[in-house]
Amino acid sequence: MTAPSSAPRTAGAERGARHGGPASAARLTGGPRRRRRLPYLLLGVVLVIGCATAGLLAGARVGSRAPVLVLARPVAVGHVLVAADVREARISADGLDTIPAGSKDTVLGRPAAYSLPAGTVLSRAAVGAAQVPPRGEAIAAVALEAGQFPTGLSAGSRVAVVVAPSASAVSTASTGGAESWSATVVAVVAADTDQTTVVSLQLAEADARALAAAPAGQIGVVTVSGTGG
């Protein structure tokens, strides 16, 4: 008597499982899927904001570059600047004493205060009355012939000036050998005869006096590291 009544209950339970099982599974799985998506959405928002901020900062750095005047070629102290001597360049000029590219007219026709190499960013202190030699230094001029100095010598070159001992002194025991001093070329001017070239050199005052007293035929100029600096 008990067996027939148990079968319907079993069938009803099976029908309930078939109808209710998928819905229950969907409810169980729907929650975790939505929770897993949320961190990825937040990460995407953070990345977008970070990229936008980096772009703004990069743009600000590029925008801070200003057009200024720089030397297009080396100039010697006292040289009167012309249009071909300067060019425009964009640099980060924050805190620097520079001359804006739009103020070129205030520079042209004025002398260079120093001997400067090409690429130097012009400042107001670099233009005007000659500021060389500084205290403790002097400028000596030497007349040199071909072979006594290297080709390509120009204002701003760093050199060593060598004075060889005289022929009569070489054989004496008291000879101390050649003398040498470090110097900076201020100007190079060819003589009218094209046989000699006058080179103006800036060096320590005591060395300049000794160089001026040396025989011209015993002087040699050697270009050293730092040329044009």
Side-chain angles (χ1 to χ4, degrees):
M1 296 296 291
T2 58
S5 60
S6 63
R9 287 197 298 272
T10 304
E14 290 176 354
R15 285 195 298 271
R18 284 196 296 270
H19 292 291
S24 300
R27 286 194 296 272
L28 291 173
T29 57
R33 285 177 182 172
R34 285 193 294 272
R35 286 195 294 272
R36 284 197 295 269
R37 290 194 189 100
L38 185 59
Y40 291 105
L41 291 174
L42 291 176
L43 179 59
V45 171
V46 171
L47 289 175
V48 169
I49 295 174
C51 292
T53 303
L56 289 173
L57 291 175
R61 285 193 294 268
V62 172
S64 66
R65 291 179 174 270
V68 299
L69 294 178
V70 302
L71 286 177
R73 56 189 181 184
V75 297
V77 58
H79 170 77
V80 177
L81 296 173
V82 297
D85 294 325
V86 297
R87 62 179 176 85
E88 179 181 325
R90 298 185 70 88
I91 66 168
S92 297
D94 295 341
L96 299 179
D97 178 20
T98 59
I99 299 177
S103 301
K104 184 185 293 186
D105 292 340
T106 64
V107 171
L108 300 183
R110 299 186 63 192
Y114 304 90
S115 293
L116 301 169
T120 300
V121 178
L122 282 178
S123 65
R124 292 171 178 81
V127 180
Q131 299 298 316
V132 293
R135 186 180 298 276
E137 296 192 359
I139 296 176
V142 292
L144 305 174
E145 297 182 356
Q148 289 182 278
F149 64 97
T151 58
L153 198 65
S154 61
S157 296
R158 293 288 301 166
V159 298
V161 186
V162 181
V163 178
S166 62
S168 60
V170 172
S171 59
T172 63
S174 61
T175 300
E179 293 184 272
S180 177
W181 307 289
S182 297
T184 300
V185 176
V186 174
V188 179
V189 180
D192 294 338
T193 60
D194 290 333
Q195 294 181 350
T196 61
T197 299
V198 178
V199 179
S200 296
L201 300 164
Q202 179 179 316
L203 62 169
E205 184 174 353
D207 297 339
R209 294 178 182 275
L211 177 60
Q218 298 170 214
I219 299 174
V221 173
V222 180
T223 304
V224 297
S225 176
T227 298

